[in-house]
Amino acid sequence: MTAELVRGQNHPLPRTRLEIRVSAGTPVVAGATLGDARGAVGGAERVAHPGSPHLPGLEVSQQAAADHRLAVDPEALPADVHRVTVLLALPAVAGGPTRFGAVPAPFVAVTGLDGDEIATFTLTGLDAESAVSALELYRRQDAWKVRAVGQGYAGGLADMLADQGVSDAAALAGSIQEAVARALARSVAPPPRAPGGDRVRRPAGPAGPLPPAPAPEPPAATAPQPHTPQPRIVPGQDGPAPATGGPIAYTHPRRQPAAPPPPAPTAPPAPPGQPAQPVAGDAAGWSMDERLYNQIWGMFEDLARAVAAYRSAVDFAESRMDQELDRALSDPRNRIGGAGDRAREQARAKRDELASRAREALDRDLAQLAAEAAVVEPALPAAYAGWGNPVWHAHRVPMEMPMALRIGDLHLPERTDLRIPLLVRLPLERGIWVDSGRTASEAAASADADRLRRLAVETAVAHAARLLAVHPPGEFSVHVIDPAGSAAGPLAPLVEAGVLAGPPASGAGGVAAVLARLTRRVDLVQMAVRARAADSLPPDLDTAEQLLVVNDFPHGFDDRAVTQLRYLADEGPSVGVHLMMVADREEASAYGPVLDPLWRSLRRITPVADSHLADPWVGHAWTYEPLAVPPGSRVLKEVLATVATARRAAGR
């Protein structure tokens, strides 16, 4: 039976590996400290946090998220550790909440390997605090217990760490928030949680339910089970989850409730013992496009969690083998001779059995997801489809903007041919940075610098073409800055089709003119919005969505131009001005940290395969693959010609 704790109450714990699950209505930072018998922590090496997520017997999340899963193995903790304190803090991000009183009360649960809750605690009564000691696991006479703490700190993470005796707590708190900011910059923003629970279908199996949090997955004693198909719920736009802290009815008392969305198509019943056949659009939504969008996000999360459960089981098998070998070989008599060899063989056999069972379960999950992907991919509309999809050959410029755009594919090493489309919501909420520098990936290492720069510009051109093609005629304009004129070849498809707002700007004068024009647009629209006077905008102002493609940054940019570029990156998206930069960060290193906010504000993609994006649930490093036009295909030129014809017909 689950113990529902109140502040100060304790409950006994088993000595097995434990999971601490955190559920909050907004992204929070989760960490833990290791204390001695007096509770003192000492140095930063005893604090597990996103920048240093692994300690002996302890593992925490690598990024801020609304859900977390922490792993604690009491048997693997250092002998001098008598207390493990779980910490929560609000990330220091612009526009985010600054106190726990403004967000739903966090919920913390301690579970066993089977997924059953041992003890739970809801952190109520918080107000001005931005950090809180949620609960602590402590050792008394060789037995472990959990105590509900709920001690908040209005001074934030630094005060909380200082209260536990951490030396130089302020510096450590700053480094934790810096690590969180870096993780948020590389993470794909998740859809918000729908009211009522998890986003995806996940039955509990012998290994426990698949993990609901973006923490590195704790091991499971047995192999994870395959997914059972159930309807997925609806993801929404990028951003934090809405607060759902109480039974508040938002329905107008004299307004009839809207009808629910039509049901998603369902597959015919499968024969007993076999998984249901996948169906394209098997998700909730008002339109087929929305259903497919939701289905793709569900596949993304299912794959992340299935692989996490597999890796967790393999890690546990390795840890168990090490522990059994340590116990067997702790007796000097077993270190030589047949007894030691038998102990090693038995431990390795158990490890191999657990790993094999985990792989079998993963393969079943992967096969189901691959079958679903094979059905979904041909059904995708142009905005969600790759360049090789036949839908592009019959493409017509739409009359309304789609809800999302595909900007690449993601995959994991466990099955590289299972690709998940990377969809971003429209209008764009973040600019895009196409990294033309040499990264650590094998594909980048095998290409010379000139080829990488050319591929980066071609990638930007392809994305600009997709954006033009999925917007109604005249509702999306593309500007190009090419200070030295070095990208004339890759830019030729856009220039020759006549779909740019003007010729690519070159030289210092051209750069200054384009930046001044777009900066003026942002200023005027912001003033009109604040004054509620949209009809007062000048008649010559282009009110369409604007995309500025910048090549070869920072060459040709003075300090004023850099400041304007940062302004456009920060303020532009909210009023329809978006940035796409083709740049090598190393070449801009002379500006130092002044450009760090610029890089973080942009969604980084690469012109070649590279493992730099993280999912928002588990934090895997996913390999990003850019969308490539098939060799010899004229699809890009045909699409741009269609766009140009539609623009001329609309008088643009």
Side-chain angles (χ1 to χ4, degrees), residues 131 226 349 396 496 515 558 633:
R396 294 293 179 266
E496 294 171 358
L515 290 177
D558 55 21
S633 173

mmCIF file with all atom_site columns, all heavy atoms in Angstrom, residues 131 226 349 396 496 515 558 633:
data_model
loop_
_atom_site.group_PDB
_atom_site.id
_atom_site.type_symbol
_atom_site.label_atom_id
_atom_site.label_alt_id
_atom_site.label_comp_id
_atom_site.label_asym_id
_atom_site.label_entity_id
_atom_site.label_seq_id
_atom_site.pdbx_PDB_ins_code
_atom_site.Cartn_x
_atom_site.Cartn_y
_atom_site.Cartn_z
_atom_site.occupancy
_atom_site.B_iso_or_equiv
_atom_site.pdbx_formal_charge
_atom_site.auth_seq_id
_atom_site.auth_comp_id
_atom_site.auth_asym_id
_atom_site.auth_atom_id
_atom_site.pdbx_PDB_model_num
ATOM 1  N N   . ALA A 1 131 ? 13.219 27.394  -4.854  1.00 0.00 ? 131 ALA A N   1
ATOM 2  C CA  . ALA A 1 131 ? 13.920 26.125  -4.692  1.00 0.00 ? 131 ALA A CA  1
ATOM 3  C C   . ALA A 1 131 ? 13.353 25.442  -3.456  1.00 0.00 ? 131 ALA A C   1
ATOM 4  O O   . ALA A 1 131 ? 12.881 26.105  -2.527  1.00 0.00 ? 131 ALA A O   1
ATOM 5  C CB  . ALA A 1 131 ? 15.427 26.329  -4.543  1.00 0.00 ? 131 ALA A CB  1
ATOM 6  N N   . PRO A 1 226 ? 6.783  -4.906  -24.422 1.00 0.00 ? 226 PRO A N   1
ATOM 7  C CA  . PRO A 1 226 ? 6.397  -4.111  -25.594 1.00 0.00 ? 226 PRO A CA  1
ATOM 8  C C   . PRO A 1 226 ? 5.193  -3.245  -25.297 1.00 0.00 ? 226 PRO A C   1
ATOM 9  O O   . PRO A 1 226 ? 4.450  -3.488  -24.366 1.00 0.00 ? 226 PRO A O   1
ATOM 10 C CB  . PRO A 1 226 ? 6.069  -5.177  -26.638 1.00 0.00 ? 226 PRO A CB  1
ATOM 11 C CG  . PRO A 1 226 ? 5.690  -6.382  -25.842 1.00 0.00 ? 226 PRO A CG  1
ATOM 12 C CD  . PRO A 1 226 ? 6.545  -6.341  -24.612 1.00 0.00 ? 226 PRO A CD  1
ATOM 13 N N   . ALA A 1 349 ? 26.739 -14.989 -17.331 1.00 0.00 ? 349 ALA A N   1
ATOM 14 C CA  . ALA A 1 349 ? 25.578 -15.648 -17.925 1.00 0.00 ? 349 ALA A CA  1
ATOM 15 C C   . ALA A 1 349 ? 24.290 -14.927 -17.526 1.00 0.00 ? 349 ALA A C   1
ATOM 16 O O   . ALA A 1 349 ? 23.390 -14.739 -18.358 1.00 0.00 ? 349 ALA A O   1
ATOM 17 C CB  . ALA A 1 349 ? 25.521 -17.110 -17.496 1.00 0.00 ? 349 ALA A CB  1
ATOM 18 N N   . ARG A 1 396 ? 0.622  22.032  -54.583 1.00 0.00 ? 396 ARG A N   1
ATOM 19 C CA  . ARG A 1 396 ? 0.052  23.324  -54.912 1.00 0.00 ? 396 ARG A CA  1
ATOM 20 C C   . ARG A 1 396 ? 0.147  24.213  -53.676 1.00 0.00 ? 396 ARG A C   1
ATOM 21 O O   . ARG A 1 396 ? -0.065 23.743  -52.558 1.00 0.00 ? 396 ARG A O   1
ATOM 22 C CB  . ARG A 1 396 ? -1.414 23.190  -55.349 1.00 0.00 ? 396 ARG A CB  1
ATOM 23 C CG  . ARG A 1 396 ? -1.592 22.425  -56.662 1.00 0.00 ? 396 ARG A CG  1
ATOM 24 C CD  . ARG A 1 396 ? -1.005 23.202  -57.827 1.00 0.00 ? 396 ARG A CD  1
ATOM 25 N NE  . ARG A 1 396 ? -1.132 22.483  -59.086 1.00 0.00 ? 396 ARG A NE  1
ATOM 26 C CZ  . ARG A 1 396 ? -0.190 21.692  -59.595 1.00 0.00 ? 396 ARG A CZ  1
ATOM 27 N NH1 . ARG A 1 396 ? 0.952  21.502  -58.933 1.00 0.00 ? 396 ARG A NH1 1
ATOM 28 N NH2 . ARG A 1 396 ? -0.375 21.075  -60.748 1.00 0.00 ? 396 ARG A NH2 1
ATOM 29 N N   . GLU A 1 496 ? 16.920 32.587  -59.150 1.00 0.00 ? 496 GLU A N   1
ATOM 30 C CA  . GLU A 1 496 ? 16.401 32.349  -60.496 1.00 0.00 ? 496 GLU A CA  1
ATOM 31 C C   . GLU A 1 496 ? 14.884 32.191  -60.513 1.00 0.00 ? 496 GLU A C   1
ATOM 32 O O   . GLU A 1 496 ? 14.226 32.547  -61.502 1.00 0.00 ? 496 GLU A O   1
ATOM 33 C CB  . GLU A 1 496 ? 17.067 31.111  -61.084 1.00 0.00 ? 496 GLU A CB  1
ATOM 34 C CG  . GLU A 1 496 ? 18.561 31.290  -61.336 1.00 0.00 ? 496 GLU A CG  1
ATOM 35 C CD  . GLU A 1 496 ? 19.249 29.992  -61.722 1.00 0.00 ? 496 GLU A CD  1
ATOM 36 O OE1 . GLU A 1 496 ? 18.547 28.947  -61.756 1.00 0.00 ? 496 GLU A OE1 1
ATOM 37 O OE2 . GLU A 1 496 ? 20.459 30.010  -61.965 1.00 0.00 ? 496 GLU A OE2 1
ATOM 38 N N   . LEU A 1 515 ? 19.005 45.024  -42.531 1.00 0.00 ? 515 LEU A N   1
ATOM 39 C CA  . LEU A 1 515 ? 18.804 44.971  -41.082 1.00 0.00 ? 515 LEU A CA  1
ATOM 40 C C   . LEU A 1 515 ? 17.978 46.159  -40.602 1.00 0.00 ? 515 LEU A C   1
ATOM 41 O O   . LEU A 1 515 ? 17.109 46.009  -39.733 1.00 0.00 ? 515 LEU A O   1
ATOM 42 C CB  . LEU A 1 515 ? 20.150 44.937  -40.367 1.00 0.00 ? 515 LEU A CB  1
ATOM 43 C CG  . LEU A 1 515 ? 20.961 43.645  -40.522 1.00 0.00 ? 515 LEU A CG  1
ATOM 44 C CD1 . LEU A 1 515 ? 22.311 43.769  -39.832 1.00 0.00 ? 515 LEU A CD1 1
ATOM 45 C CD2 . LEU A 1 515 ? 20.206 42.452  -39.958 1.00 0.00 ? 515 LEU A CD2 1
ATOM 46 N N   . ASP A 1 558 ? 29.402 44.844  -38.612 1.00 0.00 ? 558 ASP A N   1
ATOM 47 C CA  . ASP A 1 558 ? 30.039 45.652  -37.582 1.00 0.00 ? 558 ASP A CA  1
ATOM 48 C C   . ASP A 1 558 ? 29.256 45.496  -36.282 1.00 0.00 ? 558 ASP A C   1
ATOM 49 O O   . ASP A 1 558 ? 28.276 44.739  -36.200 1.00 0.00 ? 558 ASP A O   1
ATOM 50 C CB  . ASP A 1 558 ? 30.131 47.114  -38.016 1.00 0.00 ? 558 ASP A CB  1
ATOM 51 C CG  . ASP A 1 558 ? 28.767 47.695  -38.400 1.00 0.00 ? 558 ASP A CG  1
ATOM 52 O OD1 . ASP A 1 558 ? 27.733 47.128  -37.971 1.00 0.00 ? 558 ASP A OD1 1
ATOM 53 O OD2 . ASP A 1 558 ? 28.737 48.710  -39.119 1.00 0.00 ? 558 ASP A OD2 1
ATOM 54 N N   . SER A 1 633 ? 17.186 14.971  -58.800 1.00 0.00 ? 633 SER A N   1
ATOM 55 C CA  . SER A 1 633 ? 15.780 15.376  -58.767 1.00 0.00 ? 633 SER A CA  1
ATOM 56 C C   . SER A 1 633 ? 15.642 16.873  -59.047 1.00 0.00 ? 633 SER A C   1
ATOM 57 O O   . SER A 1 633 ? 16.489 17.677  -58.651 1.00 0.00 ? 633 SER A O   1
ATOM 58 C CB  . SER A 1 633 ? 15.165 15.049  -57.403 1.00 0.00 ? 633 SER A CB  1
ATOM 59 O OG  . SER A 1 633 ? 13.860 15.562  -57.296 1.00 0.00 ? 633 SER A OG  1
#
